[in-house]
Amino acid sequence: MTESTYRIQGATGDWEVVIGLEVHAQVMSEAKLFSGAATAFGAEPNTQVSLVDAAMPGMLPVPNAECIRQAVRTGMAINAQINKWSRFDRKNYFYADLPQGYQISQLYYPLVGEGEIEISLDDKNPEAEVKTIGIERIHVEQDAGKLMHDQHPTRSYVDLNRSGVALMEIVSRPDMRSPAEAGAYLSKLRTILRYVGSCDGNMDQGSMRADVNVSVRKPGEELGTRTETKNVNSVRFVMQAIEHEANRQVDVLESGGKIVQETRLFDPDTGSTRSMRSKEDAHDYRYFPDPDLLPLELEDAFLEECRASLPELPDAKRHRYENDLGLSPYNAGVLTAEAETARWFEVLLSESAAKQGKPEADVAKAAANWMLSELFGALNKLGKGLDDSPVSPQAGAELLALVGDGTISGSIAKQVLEKMLETGDGAEAIVEREGLKQTSDTGAIEAAVAKVLADNADKVEQYKGGKEALFGFFVGQTMKAMQGKANPKVVNELLKKALG
Ligand code: ADP
Ligand code: MG
């Protein structure tokens, strides 16, 4: 990806867009960052609030090792420096969803330092248009509660269930240059978090949300003044917010105005951003080290355990699918884009290999093609996904084995899959019950060939006169006469013989 691709054309020339994202990712953990209260989404308001989360006087925070572990694992997954010594700071501000009057965060010594994430802008070939986005830091902090203003015209309510839940704030460098790059970055980050299992990545439930920093400049100039659009909660909205905000900034600058560093809000209904408040600086928050907490000191054994617990990550998996299994970059990309898809594929693959007594590399292409076109296509029609697929990977492997050993043809396999999805029965049982086995019985096929040629004497004439494309027609008619159950190879051979 070259940085010259995305430009906004203004009256005074082309403008470059500069983007940096701060992503808040809710840590997957049974308990909150400094209390034992539960974190499940969707509970009745104020049912998951300990005295610590409600900031009762005298309550003391105790760090939850699991939350720290998750943030460290996330840092390792983006090749980041892990700081064995880090510290918590108080960020002081008043708001009704923050009973403590401060958020415990990490300003000066974050848990995770510099790392990087590789993105690609080419869906069809993830090896192309690759760009590395720098990560500045990941720090750990508390989430605030939630205010609800629209329940009653004159009242606001506060739900403290989210108060004290652990967040990772993942801060990128201002390395992105287009809405598409920001979208690709956010998607890739979500994929990594889901693989690692440190955040569920569900943006619609607010467990991952992005603060979008945007500025514009003439190519080659210094960085411009940025605005920060807060809490944008989908990939599409992030891209829209950038598009809108960058164009707005160009308009302001070209009409002789200045960009004020400010916090803005995104309005999904109009796709536009509007000013919320002037941007506060760190000193506005009166940060200081939290006196209730000791610095975090991580031991080597803890770090080793974190590293050992990491799964194979998406890029490594994609490369393995290409290099060891011989899959196309596109198929490898699609199969590894979600941890769940890759898991499903790997069970399908190992079961297929076992059932057919072949190495995985020999059955991988057929398994990938079947899963991505046949299975996904059929599930799509049913409005289902892999998570509620009526066909398990084991059942899929049974079907593939029947195709692999020539028991059924590819086209019959489509019918069998439909029946499997309808009934939940196994492939072998369906093939047996419905008499779908492919026949290589030359006698029966020869009879069918003879009938097809006799019924289409005119076409046989044309074929012999040089219209060779008609061969496919004869194959199709013969297969039809055999109800799809003839071995295609035998059909071809016998037709060739009969047509001389
Ligand atoms: P704060 O925490 O006050 O928002 P930071 O310095 O931590 O400030 O920067 C936050 C984000 O803003 C980072 O993701 C960074 O990449 C991005 N950023 C910084 N300068 C610019 C700029 N000129 N244009 C666009 N993004 C920027
Ligand atoms: Mg910020």
Side-chain angles (χ1 to χ4, degrees), residues 185-197 208 313-314 336-339:
Y185 167 78
L186 204 54
S187 301
K188 186 66 175 283
L189 174 59
R190 183 172 54 188
T191 296
I192 293 171
L193 293 172
R194 284 177 170 166
Y195 265 72
V196 171
M208 190 175 152
L313 292 162
T336 54
E338 291 289 347

Side-chain angles (χ1 to χ4, degrees), residues 188-431:
K188 186 66 175 283
L189 174 59
R190 183 172 54 188
T191 296
I192 293 171
L193 293 172
R194 284 177 170 166
Y195 265 72
V196 171
S198 58
C199 169
D200 65 26
N202 295 336
M203 297 191 77
D204 52 344
Q205 295 181 353
S207 38
M208 190 175 152
R209 40 197 202 263
D211 295 349
V212 185
N213 295 272
V214 176
S215 66
V216 297
R217 66 176 174 190
K218 290 281 171 64
E221 284 183 355
E222 297 282 285
L223 285 184
T225 303
R226 72 185 151 113
T227 64
E228 178 177 9
T229 303
K230 282 277 189 197
N231 283 329
V232 188
N233 67 355
S234 83
V235 174
R236 192 164 58 89
F237 289 163
V238 164
M239 293 170 65
Q240 277 179 13
I242 294 165
E243 187 86 46
H244 177 271
E245 182 54 18
N247 278 287
R248 186 193 68 85
Q249 291 184 12
V250 167
D251 286 347
V252 169
L253 292 170
E254 294 213 321
S255 53
K258 271 205 158 83
I259 302 302
V260 269
Q261 187 169 333
E262 63 181 356
T263 301
R264 298 180 69 87
L265 277 181
F266 177 71
D267 180 352
D269 294 331
T270 61
S272 64
T273 66
R274 66 189 144 84
S275 181
M276 182 162 86
R277 56 172 194 253
S278 70
K279 166 93 183 141
E280 51 295 290
D281 283 314
H283 64 250
D284 294 321
Y285 289 113
R286 299 291 184 268
Y287 276 98
F288 64 88
D290 192 305
D292 288 340
L293 288 158
L294 289 169
L296 273 181
E297 288 187 61
L298 305 183
E299 286 169 4
D300 290 332
F302 178 79
L303 296 180
E304 276 157 30
E305 186 272 318
C306 287
R307 195 171 292 284
S309 76
L310 284 179
E312 183 182 31
L313 292 162
D315 286 341
K317 203 184 266 303
R318 182 162 50 80
H319 292 140
R320 181 169 64 81
Y321 283 11
E322 284 178 48
N323 301 334
D324 298 359
L325 300 178
L327 300 189
S328 69
Y330 176 73
N331 280 0
V334 177
L335 288 171
T336 54
E338 291 289 347
E340 203 35 54
T341 312
R343 254 194 296 275
W344 211 101
F345 173 68
E346 286 178 16
V347 179
L348 175 72
L349 184 62
S350 66
E351 294 277 325
S352 283
K355 280 200 166 65
Q356 302 183 46
K358 292 180 179 165
E360 289 192 352
D362 289 5
V363 295
K365 270 191 201 147
N369 287 335
W370 175 79
M371 185 172 159
L372 293 179
S373 49
E374 306 298 333
L375 180 68
F376 278 16
L379 287 176
N380 232 348
K381 271 195 221 146
L382 296 174
K384 287 183 187 289
L386 279 184
D387 50 339
D388 56 353
S389 165
V391 168
S392 68
Q394 287 81 1
E398 190 181 308
L399 176 60
L400 286 176
L402 293 175
V403 179
D405 69 8
T407 306
I408 58 172
S409 66
S411 62
I412 291 288
K414 283 184 219 254
Q415 289 177 36
V416 175
L417 174 59
E418 267 171 35
K419 295 249 158 61
M420 289 166 76
L421 289 165
E422 253 169 53
T423 61
D425 294 339
E428 279 166 24
I430 292 169
V431 167

